[in-house]
Amino acid sequence: MKEKVIEVRNLVKKFGSFVANDHLNFDVYQGEIFGFLGANGAGKTTAMKILCGLSAPTSGEVKVGGFDIYTETEKVKRNIGYMSQKFSLYEDMTIAENIRFFSGIYGISPKERKAKQEILLKNLDIESSKDSLIRSLPLGWKQKLAFSVAIFHDPKIVFLDEPTGGVDPITRRKFWDLIYETADRGITVFVTTHYMDEAEYCNRVSIMNDGRIEALDTPENLKKQYGAKNMDEVFLKIAR
Amino acid sequence: MKTIFYVIQKEFIQVRRNKTMLRMIVMIPLLQMLVLVFAATYDLKNVNIFLVDKDMSSTSRKLASKFEASPFFTINNASFSPEEGEKELLRNADNMVLVIPKGFERKLIRDDKASLQLLVNAIDGQAAQLGYSYAASVIRGFNKNIIAEWKGLPEFNPPFQINAVPRYWYNAELEYKWYMAPGVLAILVTLIGLFLSGMSLVKEKEQGTIEQLNVTPIRKIHFLAGKLIPFIVIALFDLSFGLLIAKIVFNLPIVGSLGLVFGFGILYLIGILGLGLFISTVADTQQQVMFVTYFFMMIFILMGGIFTPVDSMPKWAQLFDEANPVFHFMKVMRMVILKGSDFGDLIHEFFALCILGFTFLSLSVLRYRKTA
């Protein structure tokens, strides 16, 4: 069995009397692509924000990258990358300036940055756009770039919150190629999505409903278990 | 520590890319200094008089010409009807109605005294009082002349009187612009500092970049310091720019040390930017920031003593002003620039600004949380 990079035990998050996360229990292993599914308002984003240290849980134990999120928040943050729903590079800065800024914050030396930046630009095939403002780029590029910047400091885990919203199937497919490459490098990918074809790409999938995890297994096993042809049917059976 | 540098660099890049912001940084000092200082003046320039001379004697005409001769008064209209004068007051066409009653000269000769009536438009109390006291002094001068004329000898049995001859220190020519300029400079620095810092954090919230920062291991002290330093630099640039304009356009004498002006400027800005950041941590949108910032600006500036002397405010207002950074800074600016006060004269303001700055800054550091 591989190393556990995320351990969640009895995680509860309440907003007043509303229970957003109701006793969540799950583990995520190193290098896997973990799909986090659920209808809107099921509590996916809330749980993800807790794992990233953006939000404090009401109760329960959570370890990310081997560190406790209550007491070792800053160590957790060194070891994760995050790409939110809201596209979040600085629109009024260029690609190179964004990379320089985020590298600086993670303490990456200018020398290392330059070397890695070159590889990044080459991989995404955007070397000539290095000095373009982010706001001038097409959405698909922005998403790939935001993802690349989120893993620029080689985190153990990267969290992607609906990373492919609003782009065409081909661009989405290309984005998933990037995700595979990342997982191959040993970085764990924790991804939420609404697209059930994307769920098929994951190693394991959890499906949330009303703040609880209703199912957690490989897409193959889930389809067998629910007697469904594809993940779409599985999802509809559980979410209803 | 190096992270501060990266945040500063980022802020400067963003300011540079923001055309509106750049224009504001240059245009606000220019407009404020040139428009506000010229316009917001209490110098009494021109009082329009409506003359109702019912006496039509040589004495009444002499009095009228006395007013005409004064640089402050213009006899705009004349009529025999005080009602018409009242109408002019209502229309705001004239500021004052001077009524010389019938038999004025005769009474003066026979009884040695006579009455006049002055109706003053006192919607603006300050201007009314000033106008009245100028008018009264014209009449007093006229009175003395008559005594001298009629009694023959000017110093013949003069009534015993003490003459106070004022010497106006620190602003000998009572140049109102010199009094206004340091105050407007203080407002300028406040405006720039408060808006820049107020917008900075909330903009990141609106764009979602704040989350991206909050998942990084950046220390919030470093982040906030990196945010503040560029705005201090920009506000100090505007302070120098404003001073330069004041020097060139108004020939503002800068008696005290510029070092002191800028030293206090930095201290003051730390507090103002702290307040702006605090507003920014509480608010969710730029619109909210605008409203709250505007509210603080209004109170701070109106109570800070730019237009009305704080000494003549009620006791509670003076106490409140101890917590008003604009009040302290404006005082420092006027004292250093016009009087040449040194640090020793400003100990009280120094500690007040230190305490306020520390409070605002602590509030914003405490309120800003990376983990909600």
Side-chain angles (χ1 to χ4, degrees):
Chain A
M1 208 61 173
K2 276 190 167 174
E3 185 199 345
K4 287 178 188 171
V5 288
I6 299 177
E7 292 172 66
V8 178
R9 296 286 173 274
N10 290 318
L11 169 61
V12 176
K13 176 72 180 183
K14 290 183 189 166
F15 295 103
S17 62
F18 174 70
V19 184
N21 290 155
D22 189 359
H23 294 88
L24 304 187
N25 284 287
F26 62 91
D27 294 324
V28 179
Y29 300 98
Q30 196 242 317
E32 77 173 332
I33 300 174
F34 188 86
F36 208 53
L37 275 53
N40 287 326
K44 287 172 299 175
T45 300
T46 307
M48 186 180 256
K49 282 193 173 165
I50 290 172
L51 296 179
C52 293
L54 285 175
S55 169
T58 309
S59 66
E61 282 169 47
V62 183
K63 275 190 173 180
V64 175
F67 300 108
D68 185 276
I69 59 152
Y70 294 96
T71 55
E72 300 169 302
T73 322
E74 294 312 302
K75 280 186 187 153
V76 168
K77 287 179 177 174
R78 283 215 167 271
N79 287 290
I80 60 168
Y82 171 68
M83 178 185 166
S84 68
Q85 277 172 16
K86 265 192 186 176
F87 170 75
S88 48
L89 293 179
Y90 289 96
E91 298 263 335
D92 50 359
M93 302 200 330
T94 66
I95 296 177
E97 285 164 352
N98 268 288
I99 292 176
R100 183 175 60 193
F101 174 63
F102 283 106
S103 310
I105 285 183
Y106 282 104
I108 298 171
S109 72
K111 210 174 138 197
E112 192 188 343
R113 179 187 79 226
K114 272 171 203 149
K116 289 178 100 176
Q117 175 175 311
E118 223 166 278
I119 298 169
L120 183 155
L121 295 174
K122 206 176 235 167
N123 275 348
L124 298 182
D125 204 16
I126 49 174
E127 284 143 303
S128 55
S129 307
K130 169 164 87 74
D131 295 318
S132 308
L133 295 184
I134 298 289
R135 77 159 77 92
S136 69
L137 304 176
L139 182 60
W141 285 30
K142 288 187 193 175
Q143 288 175 339
K144 282 198 266 183
L145 207 69
F147 177 63
S148 306
V149 171
I151 57 169
F152 200 77
H153 58 289
D154 292 316
K156 279 189 187 167
I157 311 148
V158 62
F159 293 90
L160 309 174
D161 195 4
E162 292 173 23
T164 57
V167 294
D168 61 79
I170 299 166
T171 312
R172 259 169 55 203
R173 182 65 240 195
K174 281 187 186 153
F175 192 88
W176 273 86
D177 288 341
L178 270 183
I179 293 183
Y180 279 124
E181 278 169 36
T182 308
D184 285 344
R185 276 165 59 191
I187 296 177
T188 309
V189 179
F190 187 103
V191 57
T192 71
T193 181
H194 281 308
Y195 299 108
M196 288 307 136
D197 58 326
E198 292 188 350
E200 309 263 5
Y201 304 151
C202 299
N203 298 122
R204 284 195 306 147
V205 165
S206 86
I207 300 179
M208 277 187 84
N209 197 18
D210 285 339
R212 281 185 298 274
I213 292 184
E214 302 286 358
L216 198 172
D217 214 327
T218 62
E220 282 312 307
N221 288 345
L222 284 176
K223 277 185 274 188
K224 251 184 248 166
Q225 191 184 333
Y226 287 88
K229 281 198 297 287
N230 52 35
M231 284 304 292
D232 217 27
E233 282 182 22
V234 174
F235 184 77
L236 287 174
K237 278 185 177 165
I238 290 171
R240 262 179 194 167
Chain B
M1 275 310 279
K2 265 194 192 152
T3 46
I4 295 186
F5 163 76
Y6 285 103
V7 180
I8 294 175
Q9 188 182 40
K10 172 201 140 241
E11 292 297 328
F12 272 124
I13 290 174
Q14 289 187 300
V15 170
R16 206 181 66 209
R17 296 266 156 75
N18 190 337
K19 292 266 154 49
T20 319
M21 192 85 98
L22 282 183
R23 269 197 288 266
M24 266 172 60
I25 291 169
V26 179
M27 290 310 285
I28 287 181
L30 212 59
L31 285 178
Q32 281 213 338
M33 290 308 289
L34 295 183
V35 176
L36 260 188
V37 175
F38 271 118
T41 166
Y42 278 143
D43 289 346
L44 194 67
K45 286 276 154 60
N46 194 13
V47 178
N48 286 330
I49 292 185
F50 188 98
L51 179 67
V52 182
D53 183 0
K54 291 187 178 167
D55 196 39
M56 295 293 282
S57 61
S58 71
T59 311
S60 72
R61 246 171 262 133
K62 244 184 232 159
L63 177 60
S65 68
K66 261 277 189 216
F67 273 99
E68 275 287 31
S70 152
F72 302 108
F73 297 99
T74 314
I75 295 183
N76 210 23
N77 280 301
S79 151
F80 291 117
S81 137
E83 288 75 24
E84 250 174 71
E86 251 175 75
K87 267 186 209 149
E88 292 300 288
L89 281 189
L90 276 176
R91 281 203 314 134
N92 252 3
D94 292 319
N95 315 90
M96 218 179 258
V97 179
L98 174 65
V99 184
I100 306 175
K102 205 167 168 60
F104 174 72
E105 189 184 54
R106 200 158 33 102
K107 264 182 116 182
L108 202 58
I109 295 170
R110 205 179 53 203
D111 305 344
D112 274 352
K113 63 178 178 198
S115 307
L116 286 168
Q117 191 183 30
L118 263 180
L119 301 171
V120 186
N121 172 10
I123 282 194
D124 179 347
Q126 200 132 9
Q129 256 171 24
L130 208 54
Y132 164 73
S133 70
Y134 277 44
S137 91
V138 169
I139 294 168
R140 224 174 10 248
F142 173 72
N143 203 5
K144 259 194 204 161
N145 280 357
I146 296 182
I147 295 170
E149 244 174 68
W150 290 356
K151 302 269 157 127
L153 283 165
E155 297 306 321
F156 171 74
N157 197 16
F160 184 75
Q161 61 182 3
I162 296 171
N163 251 346
V165 181
R167 279 203 52 208
Y168 299 106
W169 277 25
Y170 311 125
N171 190 353
E173 284 138 67
L174 294 181
E175 178 64 79
Y176 203 76
K177 289 188 198 78
W178 291 353
Y179 178 67
M180 284 305 285
V184 172
L185 275 171
I187 290 184
L188 171 73
V189 171
T190 314
L191 188 84
I192 294 281
L194 208 53
F195 274 102
L196 283 182
S197 60
M199 288 301 169
S200 68
L201 208 58
V202 87
K203 222 170 130 191
E204 304 235 13
K205 281 190 200 172
E206 282 188 348
Q207 292 169 348
T209 43
I210 194 85
E211 281 200 337
Q212 204 62 50
L213 284 169
N214 287 345
V215 296
T216 70
I218 192 171
R219 295 187 50 195
K220 67 176 178 181
I221 299 276
H222 291 172
F223 175 57
L224 294 180
K227 280 241 162 228
L228 287 193
I229 291 168
F231 300 145
I232 291 186
V233 173
I234 292 171
L236 288 181
F237 163 79
D238 270 351
L239 178 60
S240 337
F241 188 37
L243 271 173
L244 197 69
I245 296 174
K247 184 83 213 166
I248 294 171
V249 181
F250 313 121
N251 199 18
L252 176 75
I254 300 170
V255 184
S257 113
L258 274 179
L260 210 52
V261 169
F262 281 92
F264 267 94
I266 292 173
L267 179 65
Y268 174 66
L269 278 167
I270 290 175
I272 284 296
L273 295 178
L275 178 65
L277 267 184
F278 176 65
I279 296 171
S280 209
T281 56
V282 178
D284 289 318
T285 63
Q286 299 195 33
Q287 222 166 33
Q288 290 172 359
V289 171
M290 287 294 285
F291 274 121
V292 179
T293 312
Y294 195 72
F295 169 77
F296 275 108
M297 288 277 298
M298 284 292 279
I299 291 191
F300 280 170
I301 289 175
L302 287 182
M303 295 203 62
I306 181 149
F307 300 120
T308 40
V310 173
D311 291 334
S312 48
M313 288 183 189
K315 200 84 203 148
W316 61 264
Q318 294 189 29
L319 275 175
F320 167 87
D321 263 333
E322 287 300 321
N324 178 357
V326 176
F327 163 67
H328 294 293
F329 186 57
M330 203 170 290
K331 217 162 139 188
V332 170
M333 291 288 282
R334 281 174 175 159
M335 284 170 78
V336 175
I337 292 178
L338 298 177
K339 279 205 286 195
S341 303
D342 58 27
F343 186 75
D345 305 318
L346 302 166
I347 293 281
H348 176 82
E349 283 68 27
F350 176 74
F351 281 113
L353 286 175
C354 280
I355 292 170
L356 287 171
F358 181 77
T359 311
F360 290 143
L361 213 53
S362 316
L363 277 176
S364 64
V365 172
L366 287 176
R367 187 63 181 50
Y368 174 58
R369 292 214 177 84
K370 287 175 73 184
T371 306

PDB file of all heavy atoms in Angstrom, chain B residues 255-274:
ATOM      1  N   VAL B 255       9.036  77.056   6.737  1.00  0.00           N
ATOM      2  CA  VAL B 255       9.936  77.555   7.764  1.00  0.00           C
ATOM      3  C   VAL B 255      10.667  76.418   8.459  1.00  0.00           C
ATOM      4  O   VAL B 255      11.857  76.480   8.708  1.00  0.00           O
ATOM      5  CB  VAL B 255       9.148  78.389   8.803  1.00  0.00           C
ATOM      6  CG1 VAL B 255      10.097  78.984   9.823  1.00  0.00           C
ATOM      7  CG2 VAL B 255       8.366  79.484   8.098  1.00  0.00           C
ATOM      8  N   GLY B 256       9.908  75.340   8.782  1.00  0.00           N
ATOM      9  CA  GLY B 256      10.488  74.246   9.557  1.00  0.00           C
ATOM     10  C   GLY B 256      11.240  73.253   8.689  1.00  0.00           C
ATOM     11  O   GLY B 256      11.464  73.485   7.502  1.00  0.00           O
ATOM     12  N   SER B 257      11.615  72.131   9.322  1.00  0.00           N
ATOM     13  CA  SER B 257      12.445  71.165   8.614  1.00  0.00           C
ATOM     14  C   SER B 257      11.584  70.228   7.778  1.00  0.00           C
ATOM     15  O   SER B 257      10.570  69.711   8.240  1.00  0.00           O
ATOM     16  CB  SER B 257      13.286  70.376   9.612  1.00  0.00           C
ATOM     17  OG  SER B 257      12.903  69.033   9.643  1.00  0.00           O
ATOM     18  N   LEU B 258      12.011  70.024   6.538  1.00  0.00           N
ATOM     19  CA  LEU B 258      11.303  69.101   5.655  1.00  0.00           C
ATOM     20  C   LEU B 258      11.406  67.681   6.180  1.00  0.00           C
ATOM     21  O   LEU B 258      10.498  66.875   6.033  1.00  0.00           O
ATOM     22  CB  LEU B 258      11.898  69.179   4.247  1.00  0.00           C
ATOM     23  CG  LEU B 258      11.324  70.266   3.353  1.00  0.00           C
ATOM     24  CD1 LEU B 258      12.013  70.233   2.003  1.00  0.00           C
ATOM     25  CD2 LEU B 258       9.824  70.086   3.180  1.00  0.00           C
ATOM     26  N   GLY B 259      12.544  67.383   6.807  1.00  0.00           N
ATOM     27  CA  GLY B 259      12.723  66.054   7.402  1.00  0.00           C
ATOM     28  C   GLY B 259      11.616  65.751   8.387  1.00  0.00           C
ATOM     29  O   GLY B 259      11.079  64.642   8.412  1.00  0.00           O
ATOM     30  N   LEU B 260      11.275  66.755   9.181  1.00  0.00           N
ATOM     31  CA  LEU B 260      10.220  66.579  10.177  1.00  0.00           C
ATOM     32  C   LEU B 260       8.878  66.352   9.485  1.00  0.00           C
ATOM     33  O   LEU B 260       8.078  65.512   9.893  1.00  0.00           O
ATOM     34  CB  LEU B 260      10.170  67.828  11.065  1.00  0.00           C
ATOM     35  CG  LEU B 260       9.724  67.635  12.509  1.00  0.00           C
ATOM     36  CD1 LEU B 260      10.529  66.541  13.187  1.00  0.00           C
ATOM     37  CD2 LEU B 260       9.853  68.947  13.274  1.00  0.00           C
ATOM     38  N   VAL B 261       8.636  67.122   8.420  1.00  0.00           N
ATOM     39  CA  VAL B 261       7.384  66.968   7.669  1.00  0.00           C
ATOM     40  C   VAL B 261       7.262  65.536   7.152  1.00  0.00           C
ATOM     41  O   VAL B 261       6.237  64.876   7.322  1.00  0.00           O
ATOM     42  CB  VAL B 261       7.330  67.964   6.489  1.00  0.00           C
ATOM     43  CG1 VAL B 261       6.170  67.628   5.561  1.00  0.00           C
ATOM     44  CG2 VAL B 261       7.186  69.382   7.005  1.00  0.00           C
ATOM     45  N   PHE B 262       8.338  65.029   6.555  1.00  0.00           N
ATOM     46  CA  PHE B 262       8.258  63.687   5.974  1.00  0.00           C
ATOM     47  C   PHE B 262       8.292  62.597   7.037  1.00  0.00           C
ATOM     48  O   PHE B 262       7.641  61.563   6.898  1.00  0.00           O
ATOM     49  CB  PHE B 262       9.366  63.494   4.933  1.00  0.00           C
ATOM     50  CG  PHE B 262       9.032  64.138   3.624  1.00  0.00           C
ATOM     51  CD1 PHE B 262       9.424  65.438   3.349  1.00  0.00           C
ATOM     52  CD2 PHE B 262       8.274  63.461   2.681  1.00  0.00           C
ATOM     53  CE1 PHE B 262       9.088  66.045   2.147  1.00  0.00           C
ATOM     54  CE2 PHE B 262       7.931  64.060   1.486  1.00  0.00           C
ATOM     55  CZ  PHE B 262       8.345  65.348   1.221  1.00  0.00           C
ATOM     56  N   GLY B 263       9.043  62.845   8.105  1.00  0.00           N
ATOM     57  CA  GLY B 263       9.061  61.876   9.209  1.00  0.00           C
ATOM     58  C   GLY B 263       7.660  61.680   9.766  1.00  0.00           C
ATOM     59  O   GLY B 263       7.181  60.549   9.905  1.00  0.00           O
ATOM     60  N   PHE B 264       7.012  62.795  10.064  1.00  0.00           N
ATOM     61  CA  PHE B 264       5.646  62.701  10.562  1.00  0.00           C
ATOM     62  C   PHE B 264       4.725  62.141   9.479  1.00  0.00           C
ATOM     63  O   PHE B 264       3.759  61.441   9.772  1.00  0.00           O
ATOM     64  CB  PHE B 264       5.149  64.066  11.050  1.00  0.00           C
ATOM     65  CG  PHE B 264       5.371  64.295  12.511  1.00  0.00           C
ATOM     66  CD1 PHE B 264       6.508  64.951  12.958  1.00  0.00           C
ATOM     67  CD2 PHE B 264       4.468  63.820  13.445  1.00  0.00           C
ATOM     68  CE1 PHE B 264       6.737  65.146  14.312  1.00  0.00           C
ATOM     69  CE2 PHE B 264       4.675  64.013  14.793  1.00  0.00           C
ATOM     70  CZ  PHE B 264       5.818  64.681  15.232  1.00  0.00           C
ATOM     71  N   GLY B 265       5.035  62.465   8.236  1.00  0.00           N
ATOM     72  CA  GLY B 265       4.241  61.926   7.127  1.00  0.00           C
ATOM     73  C   GLY B 265       4.242  60.409   7.138  1.00  0.00           C
ATOM     74  O   GLY B 265       3.190  59.771   7.022  1.00  0.00           O
ATOM     75  N   ILE B 266       5.424  59.814   7.326  1.00  0.00           N
ATOM     76  CA  ILE B 266       5.517  58.355   7.351  1.00  0.00           C
ATOM     77  C   ILE B 266       4.735  57.792   8.535  1.00  0.00           C
ATOM     78  O   ILE B 266       3.941  56.864   8.395  1.00  0.00           O
ATOM     79  CB  ILE B 266       6.994  57.916   7.403  1.00  0.00           C
ATOM     80  CG1 ILE B 266       7.680  58.279   6.079  1.00  0.00           C
ATOM     81  CG2 ILE B 266       7.108  56.427   7.668  1.00  0.00           C
ATOM     82  CD1 ILE B 266       9.173  58.059   6.074  1.00  0.00           C
ATOM     83  N   LEU B 267       4.951  58.388   9.693  1.00  0.00           N
ATOM     84  CA  LEU B 267       4.263  57.927  10.900  1.00  0.00           C
ATOM     85  C   LEU B 267       2.744  57.990  10.695  1.00  0.00           C
ATOM     86  O   LEU B 267       2.010  57.043  11.003  1.00  0.00           O
ATOM     87  CB  LEU B 267       4.680  58.806  12.082  1.00  0.00           C
ATOM     88  CG  LEU B 267       4.038  58.476  13.424  1.00  0.00           C
ATOM     89  CD1 LEU B 267       4.472  57.091  13.884  1.00  0.00           C
ATOM     90  CD2 LEU B 267       4.443  59.516  14.474  1.00  0.00           C
ATOM     91  N   TYR B 268       2.303  59.104  10.159  1.00  0.00           N
ATOM     92  CA  TYR B 268       0.870  59.299   9.926  1.00  0.00           C
ATOM     93  C   TYR B 268       0.327  58.287   8.925  1.00  0.00           C
ATOM     94  O   TYR B 268      -0.731  57.691   9.123  1.00  0.00           O
ATOM     95  CB  TYR B 268       0.656  60.717   9.404  1.00  0.00           C
ATOM     96  CG  TYR B 268      -0.751  61.032   8.979  1.00  0.00           C
ATOM     97  CD1 TYR B 268      -1.783  61.068   9.905  1.00  0.00           C
ATOM     98  CD2 TYR B 268      -1.051  61.290   7.642  1.00  0.00           C
ATOM     99  CE1 TYR B 268      -3.077  61.362   9.510  1.00  0.00           C
ATOM    100  CE2 TYR B 268      -2.346  61.581   7.247  1.00  0.00           C
ATOM    101  CZ  TYR B 268      -3.347  61.619   8.184  1.00  0.00           C
ATOM    102  OH  TYR B 268      -4.624  61.897   7.796  1.00  0.00           O
ATOM    103  N   LEU B 269       1.102  58.066   7.855  1.00  0.00           N
ATOM    104  CA  LEU B 269       0.636  57.150   6.809  1.00  0.00           C
ATOM    105  C   LEU B 269       0.513  55.724   7.314  1.00  0.00           C
ATOM    106  O   LEU B 269      -0.391  54.994   6.915  1.00  0.00           O
ATOM    107  CB  LEU B 269       1.588  57.211   5.614  1.00  0.00           C
ATOM    108  CG  LEU B 269       1.310  58.382   4.691  1.00  0.00           C
ATOM    109  CD1 LEU B 269       2.446  58.576   3.716  1.00  0.00           C
ATOM    110  CD2 LEU B 269       0.006  58.161   3.937  1.00  0.00           C
ATOM    111  N   ILE B 270       1.421  55.335   8.218  1.00  0.00           N
ATOM    112  CA  ILE B 270       1.319  53.974   8.763  1.00  0.00           C
ATOM    113  C   ILE B 270      -0.060  53.784   9.385  1.00  0.00           C
ATOM    114  O   ILE B 270      -0.725  52.768   9.171  1.00  0.00           O
ATOM    115  CB  ILE B 270       2.445  53.715   9.776  1.00  0.00           C
ATOM    116  CG1 ILE B 270       3.781  53.639   9.029  1.00  0.00           C
ATOM    117  CG2 ILE B 270       2.193  52.432  10.556  1.00  0.00           C
ATOM    118  CD1 ILE B 270       4.987  53.500   9.924  1.00  0.00           C
ATOM    119  N   GLY B 271      -0.501  54.789  10.130  1.00  0.00           N
ATOM    120  CA  GLY B 271      -1.814  54.698  10.756  1.00  0.00           C
ATOM    121  C   GLY B 271      -2.945  54.707   9.736  1.00  0.00           C
ATOM    122  O   GLY B 271      -3.856  53.883   9.790  1.00  0.00           O
ATOM    123  N   ILE B 272      -2.867  55.645   8.790  1.00  0.00           N
ATOM    124  CA  ILE B 272      -3.940  55.770   7.797  1.00  0.00           C
ATOM    125  C   ILE B 272      -4.033  54.518   6.931  1.00  0.00           C
ATOM    126  O   ILE B 272      -5.116  53.996   6.664  1.00  0.00           O
ATOM    127  CB  ILE B 272      -3.672  57.013   6.910  1.00  0.00           C
ATOM    128  CG1 ILE B 272      -4.027  58.279   7.690  1.00  0.00           C
ATOM    129  CG2 ILE B 272      -4.474  56.963   5.635  1.00  0.00           C
ATOM    130  CD1 ILE B 272      -5.495  58.397   8.042  1.00  0.00           C
ATOM    131  N   LEU B 273      -2.884  53.984   6.537  1.00  0.00           N
ATOM    132  CA  LEU B 273      -2.899  52.779   5.721  1.00  0.00           C
ATOM    133  C   LEU B 273      -3.398  51.593   6.544  1.00  0.00           C
ATOM    134  O   LEU B 273      -4.084  50.711   6.032  1.00  0.00           O
ATOM    135  CB  LEU B 273      -1.507  52.490   5.164  1.00  0.00           C
ATOM    136  CG  LEU B 273      -0.961  53.521   4.189  1.00  0.00           C
ATOM    137  CD1 LEU B 273       0.444  53.155   3.741  1.00  0.00           C
ATOM    138  CD2 LEU B 273      -1.852  53.650   2.978  1.00  0.00           C
ATOM    139  N   GLY B 274      -3.037  51.589   7.835  1.00  0.00           N
ATOM    140  CA  GLY B 274      -3.544  50.539   8.717  1.00  0.00           C
ATOM    141  C   GLY B 274      -5.061  50.570   8.749  1.00  0.00           C
ATOM    142  O   GLY B 274      -5.724  49.530   8.650  1.00  0.00           O
TER     143      GLY B 274
END
